[in-house]
Every structure is written in C-alpha cells, then in structure tokens.
Amino acid sequence: MSPRPGFVLEVDRSTPSTLFWHGEGFRLERLPVGSRVLYAPEPVDALADPVAAIRRALQEPLGDCAPLSSLLHPGMQLTIAFDDVSLPLPPMRGPDNRQLVIEQVLELAADAGVDDVVLIAALALHRRMTDAELRHALGERIFDAFAPHGLLWQHDAEDPEQLVHLGLTDHGEDVEINKRAATSDLLIYVNINLVAMDGGHKSVATGLASYKSLRHHHNAHTMAQSRSFMDQHRSELHTSNWRMGRLIAAAGVKVFQIETNLNTDTFPEQFRFLQRREWEWTARDRAGFLASSKALQATPDRVARSIFHSIRSPHKMTSVQAGEVGAVHERTTENVYAQQLLEVEGQTDILTMGLPYICPYNVNSIMNPILVACLGLGYFFNMYRGRPLVREGGVVIMSHPTPWAFHPGHHPSYIDFFEQVLAETTDPVEIGKYEESFATDPWYVHLYRTGNAYHGVHPFYMWYWCAHALEHVGAVIVVGGDRAAVRRLGFKPASSMADALEMATDVVGPDPSLTHLHSPPLLMADVP
Amino acid sequence: MKGLVFERNLARFAASRMVSVLGGSGRGVTVGPLRLTDVEPPELPGPGWQQVRPLLAGICGSDLSTLDGRSSRYFEDVVSFPFVPGHEVVGTLADSDDRVVIEPVLGCVARGITPLCGACAEGRTGGCERVAFGHLSPGLQIGYCSDTGGGWSAAGLVAHDTQLHPVPDALSNEEAVMVEPAACAVHAAVAAGVDTGDTVAVLGAGTLGLCTVAALAALSPPGSLLVGAKYAHQRRLADELGADVVVDPDQLMRTVRRSSRSLEASATLTGGADVVIDCVGSEESLAQALSMVRPRGRVVLVGMPGRVTVDLASLWHREVTVTGAYAYGNEDIGGLWRRTFDVAMELVAAKRLGRLVSARYPLDRFEEALAHAGSAGRRGAVKVVFDLRARDRFRGTGPSTKGPLS
C-alpha cells in the first residue's frame, strides 16, 4: 500500500487542538474555525536493500558518467567528501547513509588497488565535527581505518595551504575550494538529501569552499532573490552554485556525485504522536503526548535539550543515485518532491509554525535566537514552490521559547552578533557592513580552525537566510519566547496564540485566513 | 541651623557597614554615624577665607562609601572628625550672594603652608602632600575636614579664595553642581594619556563614568570609545555623551576583544584596549580592567577603590600600568596649562551635564536621599543632590531636573 499523501485540513468546531512544536516541548493550540492545517505526506517506503541499491547506483551512473569501478585505478588520488553534522535532522539511527555509501565506495577502491584515499567532511564554514559525530556518520570501521592515519580531514576554509583558487565564473565569482579535493584524480561527494535545497553543485561549490567563494552567494541580495531556495530553478543561491559547479568541471575537477534520499519517518516510537494527525491519535499517542509534555515541564532546560538531542531518527534511505552532478541531482530533487510536496490552494494572511528543538546548525547544541529566526524564516518559510504560503505583507507566527542563550563553544560569534549587530540593526542588507570584520576576526578564525566553532561570519549567513521572508512579511510574532530576545530579533513577543492572533490582525486586518505548517515531519507547500 | 554631621563612632560605623551590605548602599545611614543636628557656621580660619552658603550639594560615590563603612582605613589620618560631608557644592558667597563652585581640595595654600609642597608648587593640588598638616585640621577636602564644614549643611562652609570659582550666569545650579565631578573626569581623561586611534574602555556609567565619557569625547577623543553601562538610561546617556559603543558590563570584554581583534587565553585578552578607565572601583571592575587591557596598556582608577584582592599575574606578565586619577588642579590641555575647574565648567556647559542631576532632596530627608543615591542606577537616576535653597524648596530650578522636589 502506498503511503498517504499530505493533507490540508480545514479546521471546524470538531477539530481537536493542533500540536505545535515549541523548542524542547510542545503546545496544543486551538486554531480558529476555517484555518488550514498542512500535514506532511506519510513516509515513503524505504529501500529494502540499500547496499544493493548503492552498488547498482555506482555501477549504473546517471548522466554522462562511467561506472565508478571504471574510474578507479592503482596509483590514483581519490578524495571522498561527505556532508557534515548538519545533515540529516535529527541524526539518523546507524548505519548512517554516509557510512553505507562510503563503505561500498571504499570496497570498489580497494578492489581497484587505490591506496591514496582521503575522506573530507565538507564543513564549509560550519563547526568541526567531534570524533563521536564522525564515528556516527561514518561508522567505527571507516573512522578507525582513516582517522588514526590522518586520512580523515575536516575541510578548513581558513587554511590557505588547503585551498586552491580555480578562477572566476562569468559573473566574476571567485571559486576557491579544497585543494586536495580539486587536485585529486577523482572527487566523490557523498550527500544526504533532506530538503530540496541540498545537493547538486552546491555540495562541492559550497561544502568545500572558502569564505572568499561563499560570500558571492551567501549574502542578503542572493538570499532575497531565492524564491525559494527549495526550488532550484528560482533560486539565485543555486544559480550561483551551478555557475561555480560548471567552472569547477571546466577546471578539470572530476566529480562523481552520490546522493541519497531519506523518508520522513522522523521520530522514534515514543514520539510517534508527532507524526500522526491529531484526530487520528490513538490512546497510546495521547498517553505518549501527555507523558512527554508533563515530563518535559518538570525537566530543566538543559536536561530536556540533552534528551531531545539524543534522539536518533528512524528515517531510512529511499533511493540512491550516482554519477554526473546535474543528472543525479535532478533525480534526487524529484524524490524529495515526491516525499514532501503538498499542493496548497492560495496564500494565507497568517502562517503559523511550531519550531522544534533542532535546526541544521545546533546539532548537539543550543538553539539560540538567531537560529530560531533562521529556522522559522529561513527554512520553514522557504518550504514552498511557486509562491510563499503567506501573502506579501502577511504575518508569520512562530512558537518557540527563544531563550537568550548561546553555546559559547559552538556559536561564539553569534553572541557578539546578537549583542552588537542586531542591537543596531536587523536589516539584512545593513548588517553587511559588519560582515568583513566578523569574517576576518582572528579569534573566530582560531576557534573555527581549532575548536568546534562556527565561522565568525556564520551568524550573518543565518540572518541573510531570513532576507526573503523579512522582505516579504509584514510582521513576525513569536509565541512564548523570551521577550527581550524576541525584541532584539526585531520580532514581536506574544504570551499566547490568542494574543498573537489579535496582534496579527493589526497588520493583516480582521478575519484573516490562517494556515498552520504542521512540521516536522518536513513538508513543502506547492502553492500555484 | 541644620546640618548633617559625621562623627567618629566605630560601633555605628560597623552597624552601618552591616546594614549597607544587607540592604544596599546608602541604607546604612539609619544606624550609622551620620546624624542631622544643629550646626554652627564654621569660623573663618584666617584671611582669604569666605563663608559660602550651599545651594545644591551632590552625593558622591566616595560619600556613600564612607557612610556605608566601606572606605579604606587609608583615609583615617587624612580626615578629621566630626565633619560635615559634601564636597560637590554650588553656593553663594555670604558677603555678596555671588554664585560660586567650590574646588574642595585643601592644598598647601589653603592650609597656610609655605613653602608649598612639590605637587602644589606645580599646581597639582589634588596631589598635595600636606593634607594632614598646617593650620587646619586634617582633611583632604572640604567635606572631610572638621574645620571647614561641608555642603550638606544649611550653616554653610568656609573656603579659601583659591578654592572659589565664579559661576557664569548661563550655568544653572544643576549644571554648576556637576562641575566638581566633571573636573575629576577631566583629570582622569588627561591621566589616561589617550592617543588618537586608541581603543578606550570605560567601566561604569554612573556620574563619574558618564562625565569621563564626556571628557574623553570632548578633550581627547580616542579611535574607539567603548562603555560598559548596566542600566538603560546610563546606556542612552553614554551614547549621547560621545561613546562609540555602549554595552552591558558583561558584554564589554567581548566588545573590546572584537574591537581590538584579540584572541583570548586564560580569560584574558591577548590584545585588548589601549586604556581601560575603571569608574567603579570594585574588586570585580579592577579584575575586569586587567583582563581587557592590552599588554603595556594603561588602567586608570577613577572610581574610589578600597581593599581588594586581585590576581596581578597578568599585570606583571603584560607590563600593564595601573594609575589612579584623583581630583584635579591644573592640566595640560592641548599644550595649555589650565585650571581643571575652568575646563570642567566648559565641559559641563558644552555637554549639558546638568541633565545628570536626577533628584533633589531637602536635608531633613537625608535618609531617603542617600538610599536613592545608593541605588541610583537601579532607580533610573544618576546624580542625587541635597537642595539647600530653603526658601525655594518646592520650586524647580532647571528644565532638566526631575525628582522629589521638582
């Protein structure tokens, strides 16, 4: 039986309260009659034998590309780059897709007599992964075979010795990427595709790039012109990455792309109620919700955070494709859409969303206020194809505690950005004047290179990520957030959903239409 | 006439200290050695002295420190009991009704000492080496000397001609009472030795901190003037008075680090501010200053410190200079040798420092006044003053003044 597609529920008097994520907790909200609630399609079936599927993909590549085994030969230099800790969300139960794929690649390489192999975590400007995170992504066997010998690298975008400038695109964009990857006889990129934005030429052109290169597309202008960046064909972010990808190929870098899709089977058994539609909750779901909610209310924030970050998601590989970057990514994107797309008729005055405890940049960390903004306005707002779910001048209502809290080891520059830059302006264009000083700050560079810190410029990227939404909406309201932190973001705090709805009518007028994005599990709205 | 008198009474001193520790600065006055009593006008110590009737007299951090029993025992031999506190004074001359501001330091000239000590001979009366000697009882300033009286008394005080500064008509009383703290700030700004392009961090944004910001901005603007201010009104004022960046105190070190592009090691910046001006004077603020000043940089103590325990390893290792900035006298301002009070008078007018006077109290409400001053920041105030214009008690005198008498 094929999984049920997504569903648009129209709220009536008999509709039970709607579950909202609220950081490391949940809220039940009664939405006005006539509101729409968007439910994600149910998880598509997992591959019955992912290893066999991987082998087949490697031997039957897509596009203009030979089978992987024929590209491997003794004496060659092989580099395998892979997505970092930001994917997937939540981290998946082992074995991780990266482990499954890389094991097969290494087997082929060994069969071909390739002995110069280096693995590189494609961090871009993200934090370095811990050994535990690398072990989880790659599996013990790969980690133990490579890490002790210095053959498991983490891309260092600040080490000039590790970078090579390949030239300028026809738009004058610097393309500077990891030297080992660029100069290898073959670069294999292993991806996990969670949302339509991931993968394609973005994997190498972003994941293995330097700040000098990234700044050409990670800026307020590009982000505002990516409508959305989940729709590659209407995304300046992708257009720029694709230009860079073409230049990388023209410079002689041979890329063999391997992309994997995941289904949206996101939460383990004890949190199953999160994946079910409320009116279909069983007694067990209700008990699970009540038990979780009560327990979390009595749990200190730190402990609750630790509990949630220990979740290992049961999501499974649904497909794997390999070969030429463009052809591979086209198939991957089709698969993402097949899993996540939900047709929605028309825009809404008010878009509500419950934000969970995790986003790509706080795995095993704190969801600080900047990341709250980025998750809501950068990611969830952009989960559309066609037109944004909320109309221009509409209101976004987000539910999240938004604590004024930061992980000092992971997000040091975020603290200064929040305290100094956002205190002065929240305009994504205007903040640009501070970008260079954060990007080149020697302390941030030091922490990025030697600790587990995001690069100094990263909070700017998070704010640029919000540029399209900030330009589009009339107001952003945060329910249940730390009031000072919410105000610092330039948003309006509300203590309850009822208050938020009342405040929203000041912006959009009386009797507004309301749509709730019931996510995660992830869904993408197709708004004609 | 009524006046507030501070007597030597160790038991009350200890009680005051205990209450202020428990209840907050200024609260210990209820049990301390300060009392409102009948006071006779002080006698003129000799020729060249004048009787002054205070109009407004400020409550200073050092006054609170003394009343709270927190001040250092260092001062024991340079004050004489009983004394009438109050050294920030605008008043009128008893003979002529002319308004004057008092320069309270009791240097060699006022004490009738000849030859003058080295500091006084150079015009640096703040550094007078004879404050416990001469024909006056010991007392480093009016307001700490049993012979001169002080500003917190309707009976008035006496001051030597050299301590009197006529107040221009254009200056309101609220502005005039700010001249003394402004003079301290001018001296501190000069002592800081700021070069163009320097990064200067100011810790604290009470009266002294704000005046120092104003003085730095006016007299020797640094490349970057960073201020740590605890309260919203302090942040606003610091910004208006010339700070480039104003942040919460706990953010100041990060701001200095960013500004100086330093690294961090052992909770100390590897680089840091060229100059840190500590306008708080606590153990924490001194430690903070040492952690954010650059190697071979300068820490200027403007807020009155007491006994503190501070790790000086970084000072030794980084060859940091720590210097005090007390009072005034004459300063080298752009190559000109000028009276600090003259410069301060201009600064007060130019920066409209009278707006820092937040509340005025009559003497008989001194307990409230001192409690207010002790919690000024928290209560949205900066400078609290006694208003001794008895006939005008219930009339406001300046557009910028707000408080219990306005």
Side-chain angles (χ1 to χ4, degrees), chain B residues 130-143:
Chain B
R130 303 282 187 267
V131 289
F133 306 97
H135 64 68
L136 292 178
S137 298
L140 65 172
Q141 294 187 353
I142 289 172

Side-chain angles (χ1 to χ4, degrees), chain A residues 386-441:
Chain A
R387 293 185 295 161
L389 265 170
V390 62
R391 71 164 169 84
E392 193 164 359
V395 172
V396 169
I397 298 176
M398 313 192 294
S399 176
H400 192 277
T402 321
W404 189 309
F406 295 82
H407 191 300
H410 291 164
H411 302 117
S413 70
Y414 279 64
I415 304 172
D416 293 337
F417 177 84
F418 191 68
E419 289 176 351
Q420 293 166 33
V421 178
L422 289 188
E424 188 180 316
T425 177
T426 55
D427 183 329
V429 175
E430 216 177 307
I431 64 168
K433 65 185 175 190
Y434 295 106
E435 182 188 308
E436 184 83 14
S437 76
F438 273 69
T440 59
D441 188 306

Side-chain angles (χ1 to χ4, degrees), chain B residues 306-392:
Chain B
R307 184 185 289 270
V308 296
T309 303
V310 176
D311 185 345
L312 295 179
S314 70
L315 176 145
W316 168 79
H317 176 230
R318 293 149 62 86
E319 300 184 343
V320 170
T321 300
V322 178
T323 182
Y326 161 70
Y328 22 71
N330 287 269
E331 316 289 344
D332 182 350
I333 305 287
L336 294 176
W337 192 240
R338 299 188 62 198
R339 290 286 293 269
T340 319
F341 264 62
D342 293 343
V343 181
M345 202 93 74
E346 293 165 9
L347 180 70
V348 166
K351 294 282 188 178
R352 298 187 299 109
L353 296 182
R355 60 182 144 158
L356 301 188
V357 177
S358 313
R360 292 167 294 150
Y361 286 85
L363 277 182
D364 55 7
R365 289 170 61 193
F366 71 100
E367 290 177 352
E368 285 174 69
L370 292 167
H372 195 169
S375 57
R378 208 166 58 244
R379 293 171 63 174
V382 180
K383 172 61 70 183
V384 177
V385 301
F386 286 114
D387 191 336
L388 295 107
R389 297 166 293 188
R391 289 186 302 279
D392 302 332

Side-chain angles (χ1 to χ4, degrees), chain A residues 275-296:
Chain A
Q275 298 200 184
R276 296 217 166 99
R277 299 160 190 183
E278 288 83 351
W279 69 91
E280 293 177 346
W281 279 8
T282 62
R284 196 172 162 199
D285 292 327
R286 275 191 288 276
F289 168 76
L290 284 172
S292 306
S293 300
K294 290 287 176 202
L296 287 168

